[in-house]
Amino acid sequence: MTDYILKIDCPDEKGLVHKITGVLFFNNLNIERTDEFVDRENEHFFMRVAFSGSANPEKIEDGLRGILPNTANIALTEKQIKDVVILVTKEHHCLSDLLIRNQFKDLPFNILAVIGNHDVLQPLTEKFDIPFHYLPASGTDDASRLAHENQIHELLADYDFDFLVLAKFMRVLTPDFTKRYRHKTINIHHSFLPAFIGANPYRQAFNRGVKIIGATAHFVTDDLDEGPIIFQDVIRVNHTKTAVEMAAAGRDVEKIVLAKALKFVFEDRVFISGNRTIIFE
Amino acid sequence: MTDYILKIDCPDEKGLVHKITGVLFFNNLNIERTDEFVDRENEHFFMRVAFSGSANPEKIEDGLRGILPNTANIALTEKQIKDVVILVTKEHHCLSDLLIRNQFKDLPFNILAVIGNHDVLQPLTEKFDIPFHYLPASGTDDASRLAHENQIHELLADYDFDFLVLAKFMRVLTPDFTKRYRHKTINIHHSFLPAFIGANPYRQAFNRGVKIIGATAHFVTDDLDEGPIIFQDVIRVNHTKTAVEMAAAGRDVEKIVLAKALKFVFEDRVFISGNRTIIFE
Amino acid sequence: MTDYILKIDCPDEKGLVHKITGVLFFNNLNIERTDEFVDRENEHFFMRVAFSGSANPEKIEDGLRGILPNTANIALTEKQIKDVVILVTKEHHCLSDLLIRNQFKDLPFNILAVIGNHDVLQPLTEKFDIPFHYLPASGTDDASRLAHENQIHELLADYDFDFLVLAKFMRVLTPDFTKRYRHKTINIHHSFLPAFIGANPYRQAFNRGVKIIGATAHFVTDDLDEGPIIFQDVIRVNHTKTAVEMAAAGRDVEKIVLAKALKFVFEDRVFISGNRTIIFE
Amino acid sequence: MTDYILKIDCPDEKGLVHKITGVLFFNNLNIERTDEFVDRENEHFFMRVAFSGSANPEKIEDGLRGILPNTANIALTEKQIKDVVILVTKEHHCLSDLLIRNQFKDLPFNILAVIGNHDVLQPLTEKFDIPFHYLPASGTDDASRLAHENQIHELLADYDFDFLVLAKFMRVLTPDFTKRYRHKTINIHHSFLPAFIGANPYRQAFNRGVKIIGATAHFVTDDLDEGPIIFQDVIRVNHTKTAVEMAAAGRDVEKIVLAKALKFVFEDRVFISGNRTIIFE
């Protein structure tokens, strides 16, 4: 029913909801749903409107520019199915889940390609008729990292994608890489961030003796595992679980957390504000 | 910061958000937060606005009447602390929790009095300097029920309360009673409704061998345990728990569920729509 | 490390743990883990022992018979990978999840075949090189039901399976069918049982206005949705979710609940006791 | 029904369960429940036995010493109600909850006294006829810390307590203090450890933009917030919650987590193993 999603954020001031909805009303559009939030610490306004009708996007944007502060971010989209490239290493569980959802249209996305720094997931990917690009990495020194990322850049240049999804891609990315696809790259981290940043979080969790483990989907920024969090979930564990068993149990959480986060992102429900997200569920 | 809460519900039509926020904007008021929902099955519109500023309530209501459908419900309140009478039987856990929250102002309410059909909770209540009225019930036949309820009505007539809270009040109420305090009476039921309606839900849950138990806070209507649900929560159980141990574990869920539901209600976040609730958290 | 799982249940009496572990000790076996439970209402004893070493199963069983009550159930197994046939209708999410787990050996099972009363899941199943048998059902009257089930029986006769998994098989089964595969058939029901038994549970949940929905994996018995529960889980919903959106959100719960229940069953952790289960996690 | 709890831990070896249960069997005692766990990383054995009957504790311990490794820890207790001293600062919610549970015997404990470094909780404590000792602290330098702790030591010398409970006691304790009451001191930390160690965890959580917050009950060791974890729980939060609102929502989690952890401890269900706990629920 919804034809367009409008996302606006700008410094807060009186009358914004009235004025924004006015532009849509006087363009004779049907508002299906509005969500609005004011961050009081920063006096910043966020609004998402889903609407239907026969719209002239340019005219609407002009109308909005006329009534909003100069610095407002305005995004009006009618693209409901997002194009995605997935990066993987060896673990299958997140990729499997996304391939199935792609096959059965359970998420509003379209997987254009999968890139792996190992080739173990090539047969699975090709079962679903998705191209798999095997780009092995030769080392972890700066030069190797750069060379590998350049290969990825070249490959990505062939795809007109909206988002990159790191579905258990286990290589650290350079700041250059993360900057280039800023706010377009989503990662799944196998811990309840900010606990257990970095390598082997399940081993860390086991050693610390925690009674709950989790997973976190977040936008990727320069700092490892420090980007804005989109979704998290947890499960209980107890003393009988080894680190390996925790990892096995955690995989189901990881795949579901990643899929839920992607749903929010693909449905244009997420605003990034510094290191935080505003999400209109 | 918020001075007023405005709640509106009416048949949906184009431009409602624009028009409603316009009335507030042109009265020079500061909107702190708006929440809005359209029930598509019934084409019904719900909106809550929290705002601040120097308002003339009558003028605002007149303004709203002018732009809303005739059948609109409009509620504008500046009463942020709600007055409450609590009904109890013998179990202390929900009452204890509410007495503590009242003492330390952890919930926006004020307990005017507690009424018990047993007197075991009188000493606890009086520790907190709240009047306790002991109204023993003589039986469960219709005449006894009516006589007992009449005593409660008489007592309640002395109190100017906003809500009645059944904090483990274990007597079935007559339709006359529930109608009289319709949409003002909140009950806590010790199961995850609609599972295990009626008596001894923990015993029922044990016999059925469920792996999760819960509690439900709901508005009271004519039908036992059938009113609009406000909040629910659950905990896991396993084969080692007896029905008595389930009941003990469930008490902590009950008290927290009741308190959370009351917070939503007291903060004017809840709309009742048939047998469902719309809650702007 | 574990070579054998021993499951015993019998009327409780003094010294059972001592005597049972004695049989294993004097056969020079290494106990990896013991779990034990006494149902006090029925004075019934349940024990699971995982052990390793070079065992003579017959000798162990003889030893156990010598010290246990006559009516004891004793099951000693070294079969750690269970053989399974899956029944489906049209919905893919549970089957997809199981096919992936089978492919990557994430569950200790081996899918022998999939049977569908519709053929929509045939291409998916065959992608994973699992035989798919399409057995369309002609009606819901008694004769059609019997004819259809007879076809299934014939087909099943070709497979030496340990368990039947109903992965969203949407036909009601006759008592004859459920009796024949008693304690070997596991179903996933798309509600938090015993709430919303029968058809369209998400629609029922929506209409009742619940704030939490769930899924239940259980053994199948004569009574629809009434068998012993193995595992349940839930998620929160709110007024913004339609019945269709609840169903979509519930699918992720269903697939995870079914997989967790199967893990317990395949690892020989589950005892059935009347309508309840004892599960040593 | 249970008269005694026996807790044993020792290096693992063959036949321990058989031998330990033998000692009880030949003393003609009724085992109500046994729980057992072997930590495979450290090859260490843990067992808890609840039993009833007319026991000669000395004889049982002698019997156990005869069959167990020399280094075994053996604890046999028939004290089911534990004596407790509580330390508090200004926040009431954990203390309130414990005072109510003490009053109604909802936890197997007996509060001997409450010590506060502020006096705001004195009236509440005395409502329940529990002695409150106000010991103000003059500063946070080493000398003040020592002087203050010496006052606490003196006071504690008058009480024959089993456990110290830090129910939102907001002063850092010296290693001398924590060593003195080692394995007897339980703290509630207002975050999901190890995330947000130290001061203002809710502010830290807000700044990091997490979507889930929690609380952790743990034994106190030398390192701040680093002791063995007993229980944790979490709740979801979203962008609408300020740090202050997160703290308010978190308080209900804190009080329930502390009470659940104490239940495990008071029922002799908890073993400490390095920085981890083994808990037989």
Side-chain angles (χ1 to χ4, degrees), chain C residues 144-179:
Chain C
S144 306
R145 230 173 253 296
L146 202 67
H148 188 241
E149 290 187 359
N150 279 336
Q151 287 183 292
I152 299 176
H153 295 319
E154 267 174 55
L155 230 163
L156 288 176
D158 292 343
Y159 291 102
D160 187 16
F161 63 90
D162 299 298
F163 294 100
L164 280 186
V165 177
L166 310 184
K168 307 298 289 178
F169 183 66
M170 304 310 279
R171 275 181 76 80
V172 175
L173 296 164
T174 67
D176 171 69
F177 190 99
T178 58
K179 233 168 256 161

Side-chain angles (χ1 to χ4, degrees), chain C residues 1 87 125 151 166 182 184 192 206 222 238 243:
Chain C
M1 192 155 69
L87 278 77
T125 305
Q151 287 183 292
L166 310 184
R182 195 173 134 80
K184 300 177 80 167
F192 179 77
F206 175 86
D222 292 10
N238 65 20

Side-chain angles (χ1 to χ4, degrees), chain B residues 189-254:
Chain B
H189 183 75
H190 41 318
S191 88
F192 179 76
L193 288 178
F196 311 128
I197 286 171
N200 291 325
Y202 291 115
R203 185 71 223 178
Q204 291 183 56
F206 175 86
N207 289 346
R208 180 60 189 89
V210 293
K211 300 299 185 184
I212 290 177
I213 57 172
T216 304
H218 61 98
F219 287 103
V220 176
T221 53
D222 291 11
D223 292 316
L224 180 67
D225 303 333
E226 287 290 345
I229 292 171
I230 306 165
F231 193 70
Q232 305 187 285
D233 206 356
V234 296
I235 48 169
R236 292 199 175 279
V237 292
N238 65 20
H239 62 270
T240 66
K241 286 246 190 288
T242 63
V244 168
E245 289 167 340
M246 280 188 192
R251 272 175 218 127
D252 279 346
V253 184
E254 294 168 30

Side-chain angles (χ1 to χ4, degrees), chain A residues 120-160:
Chain A
V120 292
L121 298 175
Q122 181 151 7
L124 175 74
T125 305
E126 293 178 348
K127 253 191 227 303
F128 291 92
D129 302 318
I130 307 286
F132 184 95
H133 304 284
Y134 172 38
L135 295 182
S138 54
T140 56
D141 57 294
D142 284 3
S144 306
R145 231 174 252 296
L146 201 68
H148 189 242
E149 290 188 357
N150 279 335
Q151 287 183 292
I152 300 176
H153 295 320
E154 267 173 55
L155 231 163
L156 289 176
D158 292 344
Y159 291 103
D160 187 17

Side-chain angles (χ1 to χ4, degrees), chain A residues 245, chain C residues 1-8 20-21 24-25 28-36 47-53 55 60 75-78 80 267-269 271 280-281, chain D residues 12 14-15 17 36-38 40:
Chain A
E245 289 167 340
Chain C
M1 192 155 69
T2 294
D3 298 315
Y4 293 89
I5 304 290
L6 172 65
K7 287 169 69 181
I8 292 170
I20 292 166
T21 52
L24 299 172
F25 180 58
N28 205 30
L29 297 161
N30 299 302
I31 294 181
E32 305 298 340
R33 181 167 161 185
T34 68
D35 287 284
E36 168 263 324
M47 188 172 191
R48 177 188 187 268
V49 189
F51 64 90
S52 60
I60 293 169
L76 179 59
T77 182
E78 51 178 335
Q80 298 196 8
E267 293 178 353
D268 295 294
R269 297 179 180 279
F271 291 78
F280 296 121
E281 291 191 32
Chain D
D12 190 35
K14 254 190 208 181
V17 174
E36 169 264 323
F37 173 68
V38 179
R40 292 283 161 217

Side-chain angles (χ1 to χ4, degrees), chain A residues 12-26 31 34 36 45 47 49 64 67-68, chain B residues 15-27 29 31 34 47 67:
Chain A
D12 190 36
E13 55 178 51
K14 254 190 206 180
L16 284 174
V17 174
H18 176 62
K19 290 171 185 167
I20 292 166
T21 52
V23 170
L24 299 172
F25 181 58
F26 294 115
I31 294 181
T34 68
E36 169 264 323
F45 172 88
M47 188 172 192
V49 189
L64 291 168
I67 53 109
L68 288 173
Chain B
L16 285 175
V17 174
H18 176 63
K19 290 172 185 167
I20 292 166
T21 52
V23 170
L24 299 171
F25 180 58
F26 294 115
N27 275 277
L29 297 162
I31 293 181
T34 67
M47 189 173 190
I67 53 110

Side-chain angles (χ1 to χ4, degrees), chain C residues 14 18 30 34 36 40, chain D residues 14 18 30 32 34 36:
Chain C
K14 253 191 207 181
H18 177 63
N30 299 302
T34 68
E36 168 263 324
R40 291 284 160 216
Chain D
K14 254 190 208 181
H18 176 64
N30 299 301
E32 305 298 341
T34 69
E36 169 264 323

